[in-house]
Amino acid sequence: MSKTPLILVALFGGALAAQPSAPDPVAAPLRELPWGQLNFLHTTDIHGWWGGHLQEASYSSDWGDYISFAKHLRDRADADGTDLILVDTGDRIEGNAIYDSSKPRGKFTYEIAKEQTIDLICSGNHELYKAESADGEFYHTVPDFKDNYLASNLDIINPETGGRQPLAQRYKKFTTKNQGIRILAFGFIFDFTGNDKNTFVQRVEDTVKEEWFREAIKDKEVDLILVYGHVDIRSQEYALLYSTIRDAHWDTPIQFFGGHSHIRDYHIFDSGSVALESGRYMETLGFMSISGITTSRHQNPNTNSKKRTLQFQRRYIDNNLFSMHHHSGKNATTFPTQHGLNVSLAIGSARKSLSLNHIYGCAPRDLFVSRRPYPHNESIFTWLETELLPQSIKSRDPSKKALVIMNTGGIRFDVFKGPFTKDTKFLVSPFTSGIAYLKDVPYTAAKRVIKLLNNAGPILSSTNDANATFLLPPEHVAAARYRPHLFDSSPTDPSEHPNQDGMLDFASVDLGTRQHQGNQQPLRDTHHHHASTEPPPLIPGYTTHDDAGSDGDDTIHAPIQFYNVPNCIQAAVGFSPASVSGSGSSSDSAGPDSWVDGAEMVDGDESEPEVVDIMYNEFIEKWVLLALAYLGESYSAEDSHLYEDGKSFTDIMTDWVEGHWGVDDVDDDGEAGCPS
Ligand SMILES: *[C@@H]1O[C@H](CO)[C@@H](O)[C@H](O)[C@H]1NC(C)=O
Ligand SMILES: *[C@@H]1O[C@H](CO)[C@@H](O)[C@H](O)[C@H]1NC(C)=O
Ligand SMILES: *[C@@H]1O[C@H](CO)[C@@H](O)[C@H](O)[C@H]1NC(C)=O
Ligand SMILES: *[C@@H]1O[C@H](CO)[C@@H](O)[C@H](O)[C@H]1NC(C)=O
């Protein structure tokens, strides 16, 4: 626990850029950037991770490094006469302490974001949940990015005049710097309904009928149509935009960029139209190139179809300096620009002023949202259900029993073995909501609420939201809705699932660029074994399977298995331990089939109580009330009370960590370090 290593890291880390406490990136086999005629860098769902990931080497670069990286790629485009465009598709706020713990909440975020030259930017749903953050877009992001901010289906009440107006211009037409490619661009948000009263999201199906939209797509003097937005690339919204635009432009290339679902994905609409989604949390820099675009200056004489010569290629770059140095052809000395270094320093000083490295305790093991099955002793939900909630939540008096229900979507990120810091606290639970409860609910109904919430079914189809997937973490919503194959629902050990990518032979992998067009089959060239050098072990990470195959990731990883999680989990408070079979208390119970049981009582010495309190995070009140109504128990929001004056779950969790994982020898900065 000597402090010397930290100081050394700080000194050298400063020279490398990234945040001083970020781990050094690890060398790994890389696929090249498929640079083309028109190139894009795409970020989405940053959620405040401007400082990068300080406990994961693969994603340890910060926003300053991204600024340096983009500068080098822009220089490359200028040097070889190609073009580079930067896109961000929203959800820049909420989910990281640099946003959520500052007062006011956007204090550092807008200043950091605006340092990057983003050519096309839009709002996500997180910018719109609260009126203040929508106003933050109005007062900061929109003016900071001026003409580059588009709001094709989003209005705001102007806080100065009280009148309703588009948050930004609906669309724009521009030409690229070096080739004069004429681009018509739109910036959308999905059909979001959870926004505060000062914004208006117009459904995409209504927007495409608007006069301005129909006029805009009549324009034939365009070389490329670009639709970017906070929209899942496999959503109905994008399917409709694709078909509407394609009807008006039978052969103009249409490029989509999407977001919201926190995954890496690439979708091919047709041989002239594709969509890229670039992950989440500054883990991924999406790269896209298009070649063969016919421009007014550069006609292709061989064909009368613009589509036929097109070539689309994508790459998901792991956000770390090893990847960035490689793809920019720079090294540790030549990579950082003065501007990038400035921004890294600004992020560092913002983090310091917020004491984000303050340690509350040392996590004794990793706890994962999706990388372990549920239940499992390394599932964060099993930890909540069997340790944190029962040990933190007190029933009203010792004779009362309670059931505590939480939706899994309230937990945003993993806990890694080691320091649990102020940073960790907000990464895991950025939301400010507290815990509500209903008193003395008949136990026969109360114990069935969790089953209904996890079964979706009747109560959930009665809401506008069609199903309960919004109770889940975003990655799981994307899976449930559009990608049923994405998560494994069996609770088996990930090491029992070696898949093809995990057996890649380092020496024989084709690291060159590959062309991805139209309906190319997934590549199967990973099994030629040479008895040459011993390959270094691959780092676990994303192994993306998308419409173009399995070679989109820049870094060749050993696969990580991801598992399904239930909508909600439940802890029992005040019951004797022997009478509870929490579904998380045994790691050998089956997967999804066992979820619906929650912490169901088994026959024991203890007789079932007549009544219990039902406790739940405020966010899910609507569904708890619906479930009870379905079970014949009528309650309304007026019947609910706030636990401990609305103490947030975030604070409940932090108190538990201090009480159970606390460190004794915290120094003045709260940075004692944890045993390794
Ligand atoms: C970095 O690249 C520059 C220019 O190519 C070279 O002069 C320098 O020696 C390199 N530095 C390192 C540490 O490799
Ligand atoms: C870096 O920051 C310094 C001091 O704040 C400033 O004078 C300088 O202009 C900045 N340089 C760049 C390239 O942003
Ligand atoms: C988790 O459970 C596995 C299998 O039951 C066991 O081998 C392992 O030691 C446990 N890990 C912890 C941290 O308790
Ligand atoms: C969730 O709703 C979408 C449409 O709103 C539907 O397509 C999908 O099948 C539903 N998923 C589940 C798991 O019910």
Side-chain angles (χ1 to χ4, degrees), residues 472-483:
L472 291 162
E475 305 77 26
H476 293 268
V477 178
R481 290 201 158 187
Y482 309 115
R483 301 166 183 87

PDB file of all heavy atoms in Angstrom, residues 472-483:
ATOM      1  N   LEU A 472     -35.048  -3.041 -17.712  1.00  0.00           N
ATOM      2  CA  LEU A 472     -33.751  -3.696 -17.839  1.00  0.00           C
ATOM      3  C   LEU A 472     -32.659  -2.683 -18.171  1.00  0.00           C
ATOM      4  O   LEU A 472     -32.945  -1.580 -18.628  1.00  0.00           O
ATOM      5  CB  LEU A 472     -33.802  -4.707 -18.989  1.00  0.00           C
ATOM      6  CG  LEU A 472     -34.664  -5.954 -18.814  1.00  0.00           C
ATOM      7  CD1 LEU A 472     -34.936  -6.595 -20.167  1.00  0.00           C
ATOM      8  CD2 LEU A 472     -33.960  -6.938 -17.891  1.00  0.00           C
ATOM      9  N   PRO A 473     -31.396  -3.078 -17.992  1.00  0.00           N
ATOM     10  CA  PRO A 473     -30.303  -2.239 -18.510  1.00  0.00           C
ATOM     11  C   PRO A 473     -30.440  -2.096 -20.032  1.00  0.00           C
ATOM     12  O   PRO A 473     -30.938  -3.009 -20.689  1.00  0.00           O
ATOM     13  CB  PRO A 473     -29.047  -3.034 -18.142  1.00  0.00           C
ATOM     14  CG  PRO A 473     -29.463  -3.951 -17.032  1.00  0.00           C
ATOM     15  CD  PRO A 473     -30.912  -4.279 -17.293  1.00  0.00           C
ATOM     16  N   PRO A 474     -29.982  -0.968 -20.607  1.00  0.00           N
ATOM     17  CA  PRO A 474     -30.191  -0.695 -22.035  1.00  0.00           C
ATOM     18  C   PRO A 474     -29.695  -1.796 -22.967  1.00  0.00           C
ATOM     19  O   PRO A 474     -30.336  -2.089 -23.968  1.00  0.00           O
ATOM     20  CB  PRO A 474     -29.396   0.586 -22.282  1.00  0.00           C
ATOM     21  CG  PRO A 474     -29.212   1.207 -20.950  1.00  0.00           C
ATOM     22  CD  PRO A 474     -29.271   0.115 -19.928  1.00  0.00           C
ATOM     23  N   GLU A 475     -28.566  -2.406 -22.628  1.00  0.00           N
ATOM     24  CA  GLU A 475     -28.026  -3.458 -23.502  1.00  0.00           C
ATOM     25  C   GLU A 475     -29.050  -4.590 -23.626  1.00  0.00           C
ATOM     26  O   GLU A 475     -29.182  -5.245 -24.651  1.00  0.00           O
ATOM     27  CB  GLU A 475     -26.747  -4.063 -22.930  1.00  0.00           C
ATOM     28  CG  GLU A 475     -25.636  -3.083 -22.613  1.00  0.00           C
ATOM     29  CD  GLU A 475     -25.863  -2.296 -21.323  1.00  0.00           C
ATOM     30  OE1 GLU A 475     -26.567  -2.798 -20.429  1.00  0.00           O
ATOM     31  OE2 GLU A 475     -25.356  -1.175 -21.216  1.00  0.00           O
ATOM     32  N   HIS A 476     -29.754  -4.828 -22.518  1.00  0.00           N
ATOM     33  CA  HIS A 476     -30.701  -5.937 -22.502  1.00  0.00           C
ATOM     34  C   HIS A 476     -32.011  -5.577 -23.194  1.00  0.00           C
ATOM     35  O   HIS A 476     -32.691  -6.439 -23.730  1.00  0.00           O
ATOM     36  CB  HIS A 476     -30.945  -6.388 -21.059  1.00  0.00           C
ATOM     37  CG  HIS A 476     -29.725  -7.000 -20.443  1.00  0.00           C
ATOM     38  ND1 HIS A 476     -29.480  -8.346 -20.495  1.00  0.00           N
ATOM     39  CD2 HIS A 476     -28.666  -6.439 -19.829  1.00  0.00           C
ATOM     40  CE1 HIS A 476     -28.305  -8.592 -19.907  1.00  0.00           C
ATOM     41  NE2 HIS A 476     -27.803  -7.453 -19.498  1.00  0.00           N
ATOM     42  N   VAL A 477     -32.346  -4.290 -23.168  1.00  0.00           N
ATOM     43  CA  VAL A 477     -33.516  -3.852 -23.917  1.00  0.00           C
ATOM     44  C   VAL A 477     -33.266  -4.096 -25.403  1.00  0.00           C
ATOM     45  O   VAL A 477     -34.107  -4.654 -26.113  1.00  0.00           O
ATOM     46  CB  VAL A 477     -33.798  -2.347 -23.678  1.00  0.00           C
ATOM     47  CG1 VAL A 477     -34.986  -1.908 -24.512  1.00  0.00           C
ATOM     48  CG2 VAL A 477     -34.040  -2.084 -22.204  1.00  0.00           C
ATOM     49  N   ALA A 478     -32.069  -3.705 -25.847  1.00  0.00           N
ATOM     50  CA  ALA A 478     -31.716  -3.896 -27.260  1.00  0.00           C
ATOM     51  C   ALA A 478     -31.797  -5.363 -27.634  1.00  0.00           C
ATOM     52  O   ALA A 478     -32.244  -5.725 -28.716  1.00  0.00           O
ATOM     53  CB  ALA A 478     -30.308  -3.375 -27.516  1.00  0.00           C
ATOM     54  N   ALA A 479     -31.368  -6.208 -26.714  1.00  0.00           N
ATOM     55  CA  ALA A 479     -31.386  -7.642 -27.001  1.00  0.00           C
ATOM     56  C   ALA A 479     -32.812  -8.169 -27.040  1.00  0.00           C
ATOM     57  O   ALA A 479     -33.200  -8.866 -27.975  1.00  0.00           O
ATOM     58  CB  ALA A 479     -30.567  -8.385 -25.952  1.00  0.00           C
ATOM     59  N   ALA A 480     -33.608  -7.817 -26.041  1.00  0.00           N
ATOM     60  CA  ALA A 480     -34.962  -8.362 -25.974  1.00  0.00           C
ATOM     61  C   ALA A 480     -35.778  -7.931 -27.189  1.00  0.00           C
ATOM     62  O   ALA A 480     -36.580  -8.692 -27.719  1.00  0.00           O
ATOM     63  CB  ALA A 480     -35.646  -7.910 -24.690  1.00  0.00           C
ATOM     64  N   ARG A 481     -35.556  -6.700 -27.618  1.00  0.00           N
ATOM     65  CA  ARG A 481     -36.383  -6.189 -28.707  1.00  0.00           C
ATOM     66  C   ARG A 481     -35.925  -6.640 -30.074  1.00  0.00           C
ATOM     67  O   ARG A 481     -36.716  -7.015 -30.911  1.00  0.00           O
ATOM     68  CB  ARG A 481     -36.365  -4.662 -28.678  1.00  0.00           C
ATOM     69  CG  ARG A 481     -37.120  -4.129 -27.509  1.00  0.00           C
ATOM     70  CD  ARG A 481     -37.512  -2.722 -27.782  1.00  0.00           C
ATOM     71  NE  ARG A 481     -38.646  -2.343 -26.967  1.00  0.00           N
ATOM     72  CZ  ARG A 481     -39.287  -1.192 -27.112  1.00  0.00           C
ATOM     73  NH1 ARG A 481     -38.901  -0.340 -28.019  1.00  0.00           N
ATOM     74  NH2 ARG A 481     -40.298  -0.907 -26.346  1.00  0.00           N
ATOM     75  N   TYR A 482     -34.630  -6.537 -30.311  1.00  0.00           N
ATOM     76  CA  TYR A 482     -34.182  -6.697 -31.693  1.00  0.00           C
ATOM     77  C   TYR A 482     -33.129  -7.787 -31.892  1.00  0.00           C
ATOM     78  O   TYR A 482     -32.791  -8.101 -33.012  1.00  0.00           O
ATOM     79  CB  TYR A 482     -33.586  -5.378 -32.205  1.00  0.00           C
ATOM     80  CG  TYR A 482     -34.475  -4.175 -31.991  1.00  0.00           C
ATOM     81  CD1 TYR A 482     -34.090  -3.147 -31.151  1.00  0.00           C
ATOM     82  CD2 TYR A 482     -35.711  -4.087 -32.641  1.00  0.00           C
ATOM     83  CE1 TYR A 482     -34.898  -2.039 -30.966  1.00  0.00           C
ATOM     84  CE2 TYR A 482     -36.523  -2.987 -32.456  1.00  0.00           C
ATOM     85  CZ  TYR A 482     -36.117  -1.960 -31.611  1.00  0.00           C
ATOM     86  OH  TYR A 482     -36.917  -0.867 -31.424  1.00  0.00           O
ATOM     87  N   ARG A 483     -32.550  -8.276 -30.817  1.00  0.00           N
ATOM     88  CA  ARG A 483     -31.413  -9.186 -30.990  1.00  0.00           C
ATOM     89  C   ARG A 483     -31.492 -10.336 -29.997  1.00  0.00           C
ATOM     90  O   ARG A 483     -30.656 -10.434 -29.091  1.00  0.00           O
ATOM     91  CB  ARG A 483     -30.094  -8.416 -30.779  1.00  0.00           C
ATOM     92  CG  ARG A 483     -29.906  -7.254 -31.724  1.00  0.00           C
ATOM     93  CD  ARG A 483     -28.794  -6.336 -31.259  1.00  0.00           C
ATOM     94  NE  ARG A 483     -28.659  -5.184 -32.117  1.00  0.00           N
ATOM     95  CZ  ARG A 483     -29.358  -4.061 -31.968  1.00  0.00           C
ATOM     96  NH1 ARG A 483     -30.239  -3.929 -30.990  1.00  0.00           N
ATOM     97  NH2 ARG A 483     -29.179  -3.054 -32.810  1.00  0.00           N
TER      98      ARG A 483
END
